[in-house]
Amino acid sequence: MIATFLYAMAGMAQAAAPAPAQTLQARFDAANAAFGASDCTAAIPLYEALERNPAASRNRLFAGAIAVRKGICLTRTGKPDDGVIAMRRGVPMLTTKRDEFATDLREAYLAMGNSASLRFDYDPAAAAYADALAVSKGQDRLSPLLGLSRVLAFDRDGKALAYAAEARTLALADPTLVKANVALVQTRYARVLLNEGRHKEAYAELKDSLRKQGGLDLSVSASDVATRSDLALAALLTGDRDQARTYLAYTGAGRMKDSPFARASDMAPPVCGATSGLKREDVAVVEFALGEDGVVANPTPIYTTGGREVALAFARAVADWSWTPASAAAIPAFSRQAVRVELRCTVAGERPSITAPIEEAVAAWLASLQGATPSWANEASARALPLVQAEVVRARTAGDRPALIAALIWLGRSSLITGPERAAALVEARQLAVAAGAPVSVQTWFAFESTGTDWDRRDRWDRDRESLLAMPAVAADPLSAATLRMMIVANAPLDKPAETEALLTKVIDSPLPDRHPLKIAALLRRADLLAAQGQVDAARASFDRTGLTGDQCALIAPKPVVKRLGASSSDFPQEALQMGFEGWAQTEFDIAPDGRTVAPRTIAAYPPFVFGDAASRMAKDVRFQSSYRPDGNVACIANKLTIAFQLP
């Protein structure tokens, strides 16, 4: 399609300088050959060399074709932002010859739509897919139609269904299209039906799609897995639970030993509320791929009971999940291609630990040294890890002590590396911090944090903390001393209340402000001790000093102590046992003052809709150490417990 103007251009160049014109044509042909063979690694530098050639830039169509094709290649090789910039530069040049360059424009619009979709920018994605549709004819309309149906599926205004229906009609009417591809289009159409609430129609459509793919057999492709997973969902939504588990079994989900997907380093559901737009009753199924490096790729909402923003809120949360590289690499590659989880929002974010105030002091000290926010600060852990490791090398070479300390602290606190690696990072960071004149509270944090990385010394943690408290400088620093005492209290045995009370008294009487979180935590723990001894009036007085109302939890409080799990093999769902499923579920519940769990609910589970109900039932049997609250109000809200279901 480009040949016409190319030859004309080559002729013009021939008149002025014959050799360069021929060379330019040959170089362009070579770039196009690599592009046509999907060898973008070879095509990109060839196109970039052409862009630097003044003769190429003088013809807008030529320059536009180069920019568009290079941009498409950049998106295919993991550089979508750069690719979109190049395509946006080239597309306006080609629209003057829209019919001649329809294929280039279509591919560019599709690439821009896919890129926007991966960023969860569904409006720009829909606009790009619509542009692609406008320059497409016949079967070329399938890809933009499916793209539109995907990003509009949760709007429930009929548009997504119309696009999906047109794609279905085109696929069914084309005798040259292989059955597997027709089935894929039908599956996408059925997915829109599911989100429109037309579950029975979707179920019937998916069964027909499955027949075209050969039915339930042991031959499994990515397309087969998608259809069977959607069938399992449709069966559940129509009440056919037995068949749902059969379909799920044929996806391979839940068929791996030791529930490997449960071993995420970071796996937080989104928070309910006005900011996220999520309500407790909202449910979603999100699909994602997991790389060998533990990084989540392409998190995509499949189904939700809410609208578009609800679906995207769940997908964004999954985008921030991380696994250790070792855990991810241990999962078969095929099983990592399309993982689906069931999600609900949490009614509370993670509550800060006892060490939160001293960690804030460390962060403030680092900020006073650094100034600029690190490039990896807002990245998911697995994405940040290589960036932090590279920063350690750079900062060492450059002698950038503040940046090196910050990077080493991140590594020292990361669960993505081994205990010895974490300990080594903290030791080095501590030495640098001392040399930089770090305040006592920062040095204290380094001291106990370094101990926490040595799992073989956990029985010595309290002794180490007591040794730190014996140091005059630490004992004289209110924040350091109070933090260490509350850490010891958190592990204190129940049969030694006098020792616990002595530690609490020193925290309560410390020079810290009256409403300091550590003082509030100490007063709450004292109220628990007094109530356990029958001293209800004294417990009430201690609680009143916190300034909390009876239905509030402290921002920082001792972690609830589990007294009994109450789980047994009989809690394993019989249907899952019969099908050979393993998996996990994360439950959330409140804790009553007497230690009972209240209103347990599953907020994340794998595989979807298999273990959630069982996990919620099991959470009802968990018992915690009793806590004091006036009028018997809930003692702690939104506590989490992850339960792994493993076959004998």
Side-chain angles (χ1 to χ4, degrees), residues 235-236 238-246 575 609-610 613:
L236 282 168
T238 54
D240 193 355
R241 297 185 66 85
D242 290 340
Q243 196 61 33
R245 289 185 172 85
T246 299
E575 305 92 343
F609 308 109
V610 174
D613 291 343

Side-chain angles (χ1 to χ4, degrees), residues 311-548:
L312 292 179
F314 282 111
R316 289 189 186 100
V318 173
D320 289 333
W321 291 5
S322 297
W323 276 255
T324 66
S327 296
I331 303 170
F334 184 82
S335 299
R336 288 189 275 107
Q337 287 182 7
V339 187
R340 289 192 180 187
V341 287
E342 164 195 358
L343 288 172
R344 292 171 182 79
C345 59
T346 174
V347 297
E350 295 294 329
R351 281 193 299 276
S353 68
I354 292 297
T355 61
I358 202 168
E359 289 168 4
E360 291 172 2
V362 174
W365 176 72
L366 270 178
S368 71
L369 295 180
Q370 278 185 289
T373 302
S375 61
W376 34 263
N378 297 316
E379 295 286 353
S381 298
R383 287 192 184 89
L385 178 59
L387 301 177
V388 177
Q389 291 170 328
E391 178 68 354
V392 168
V393 175
R394 185 208 66 80
R396 277 205 191 106
T397 304
D400 187 347
R401 185 163 62 184
L404 181 56
I405 293 173
L408 289 169
I409 287 176
W410 190 96
L411 290 174
R413 305 204 66 200
S414 173
S415 59
L416 297 177
I417 59 177
T418 66
E421 289 174 315
R422 292 166 58 196
L426 287 172
V427 166
E428 183 180 356
R430 183 182 184 185
Q431 292 170 346
L432 292 168
V434 171
V440 172
S441 58
V442 174
Q443 296 189 42
T444 301
W445 178 84
F446 273 114
F448 68 68
E449 193 71 15
S450 298
T451 305
T453 63
D454 190 347
W455 294 97
D456 294 334
R457 300 181 60 202
R458 293 191 70 171
D459 58 333
R460 296 173 54 189
W461 284 4
D462 285 346
R463 278 179 286 167
D464 290 334
R465 292 161 184 165
E466 289 165 357
S467 297
L468 283 171
L469 269 172
M471 298 171 63
V474 175
D477 181 63
L479 179 57
S480 296
T483 300
L484 289 166
R485 289 183 174 115
M486 289 306 296
M487 292 174 77
I488 296 170
V489 164
N491 290 333
L494 301 178
D495 59 352
K496 294 184 178 180
E499 295 179 15
T500 300
E501 171 60 29
L503 290 165
L504 294 173
T505 297
K506 289 183 178 180
V507 175
I508 293 167
D509 295 342
S510 73
L512 293 173
D514 288 344
R515 289 293 180 266
H516 193 278
L518 289 173
K519 278 196 172 183
I520 292 175
L523 288 165
L524 282 172
R525 188 61 181 265
R526 174 186 274 177
D528 295 344
L529 287 175
L530 292 169
Q533 297 166 10
Q535 302 180 52
V536 179
D537 291 341
R540 177 64 189 244
S542 182
F543 184 90
D544 287 344
R545 286 183 62 185
T546 66
L548 299 173

Side-chain angles (χ1 to χ4, degrees), residues 240-290:
D240 193 355
R241 297 185 66 85
D242 290 340
Q243 196 61 33
R245 289 185 172 85
T246 299
Y247 291 129
L248 195 60
Y250 277 87
T251 68
R255 313 289 286 197
M256 287 174 288
K257 294 293 292 181
D258 302 325
S259 305
F261 289 113
R263 294 194 292 272
S265 173
D266 298 308
M267 190 169 56
V271 178
C272 305
T275 301
S276 65
L278 299 177
K279 301 183 289 294
R280 286 172 61 104
E281 60 269 23
D282 288 328
V283 183
V285 174
V286 176
E287 181 177 278
F288 62 94
L290 181 62

Side-chain angles (χ1 to χ4, degrees), residues 43 335 384 464 466 556 562 572 636:
S335 299
D464 290 334
E466 289 165 357
I556 293 180
V562 176
F572 202 107
C636 281

